[in-house]
Amino acid sequence: MRLTSLISAALVLLLARPAFTQDWTEFTSRQDSFSVNFPGQPKVEETIWASEYRYSLPARVYSAARGQERYSVTVVDYRDIERQAIERVKACPKGAEPCIGGEIRGPGYWKHDVRGAIMYATFKLLQRDAKVTHLMWNTASWVEGNMVQLTNNADQARTFAWIFMHYNRLYILEGTVPAGNPEPGLFQQSVDFYDKDGNRLYYQGMVYSNAYHGLGDYPTPPGVRGGGGGAGSAGAGAGAVDSPYGR
């Protein structure tokens, strides 16, 4: 009788677990070439991102919640920005500074916009009503970016954000947890990037910098397909990565 009572009590506790204990799963977006751990299936919303030089770029926001915790990945597609810049320059007055263009900045400053995308996204985070507790350069699978930590002034909730750019897509990952909760490690350590064929990538021996490699100024670093494992972790695989600009 006692064993039966204990089993019944255990079942009650199991069934009574709150919704925020749902299992974490690896979510992969083939459309936006990334994967990350989410607490359940994320919601996906289409939106428009206004870039630093005022280009309107398509974006998607992937979001999920776990109790009071909030997780999101915003992906901004910069691959159409050159076309938009050329159209803009066609309409600008002859001799106006944006019309001059040039190899380094590109007509309409589109290359500067791409090079500064990580910095601009970081700047937007710093404008929030929050205290910056940490800001650093970091990598995920050897793709460079910034890490930002904020403490909300209103309720002391903490936001851990990571901003990367890979093949001219900007990735903004945010994990926000209530005051006193552990940092969102399952989220932050799980981001990976993929090539145009859906193969997980992991660069070797050299950091991928979109400001150089994404714009085609330098060849893409050597790497392996099938590697990965998130920020700061190693992976394994075989086969050279051949990733042309603007795929």
Side-chain angles (χ1 to χ4, degrees):
M1 177 68 72
R2 179 175 177 78
L3 180 59
T4 302
S5 299
L6 289 173
I7 292 174
S8 299
L11 286 173
V12 169
L13 289 173
L14 182 64
L15 294 174
R17 289 187 306 171
F20 60 78
T21 60
Q22 72 258 40
D23 291 335
W24 287 80
T25 58
E26 182 182 69
F27 170 80
T28 300
S29 170
R30 299 301 181 191
Q31 189 173 19
D32 286 320
S33 300
F34 79 96
S35 66
V36 72
N37 287 342
F38 269 117
Q41 187 73 9
K43 178 176 64 175
V44 184
E45 295 179 286
E46 306 277 343
T47 187
I48 297 296
W49 174 269
S51 74
E52 184 169 17
Y53 287 80
R54 301 183 303 278
Y55 292 102
S56 297
L57 304 173
R60 269 178 288 274
V61 180
Y62 302 80
S63 60
R66 179 177 180 266
Q68 293 183 315
E69 299 173 2
R70 299 290 182 269
Y71 301 92
S72 68
V73 179
T74 301
V75 185
V76 185
D77 193 343
Y78 276 73
R79 293 175 300 171
D80 187 51
I81 193 171
E82 181 179 12
R83 182 196 62 78
Q84 290 191 39
I86 291 171
E87 290 301 313
R88 174 185 290 183
V89 167
K90 287 179 181 179
C92 73
K94 184 177 181 180
E97 206 274 340
C99 300
I100 298 172
E103 181 59 31
I104 294 178
R105 54 194 175 185
Y109 284 97
W110 75 269
K111 289 187 177 181
H112 277 11
D113 208 340
V114 172
R115 291 188 183 102
I118 292 175
M119 184 66 71
Y120 180 62
T122 302
F123 173 74
K124 287 174 70 68
L125 287 170
L126 300 185
Q127 304 311 298
R128 295 181 179 178
D129 182 21
K131 178 183 177 180
V132 180
T133 58
H134 203 70
L135 172 61
M136 66 179 290
W137 179 91
N138 204 351
T139 65
S141 296
W142 291 104
V143 175
E144 75 165 352
N146 289 339
M147 176 187 290
V148 183
Q149 295 181 11
L150 305 168
T151 299
N152 190 291
N153 288 328
D155 59 7
Q156 300 302 298
R158 296 186 300 160
T159 294
F160 298 78
W162 305 266
I163 306 102
F164 304 101
M165 200 163 191
H166 190 239
Y167 292 134
N168 300 302
R169 284 189 179 98
L170 178 69
Y171 298 86
I172 307 168
L173 294 87
E174 295 185 57
T176 299
V177 296
N181 278 32
E183 65 182 66
L186 286 173
F187 181 69
Q188 73 181 72
Q189 295 293 330
S190 64
V191 59
D192 277 313
F193 303 101
Y194 292 76
D195 66 14
K196 65 184 186 320
D197 298 317
N199 299 302
R200 193 187 307 251
L201 296 177
Y202 182 76
Y203 295 103
Q204 291 184 320
M206 185 184 299
V207 172
Y208 174 95
S209 172
N210 197 82
Y212 297 105
H213 305 115
L215 289 175
D217 294 338
Y218 294 96
T220 303
V224 295
R225 291 188 174 96
S233 61
V241 174
D242 180 14
S243 306
Y245 154 62
R247 67 173 173 81

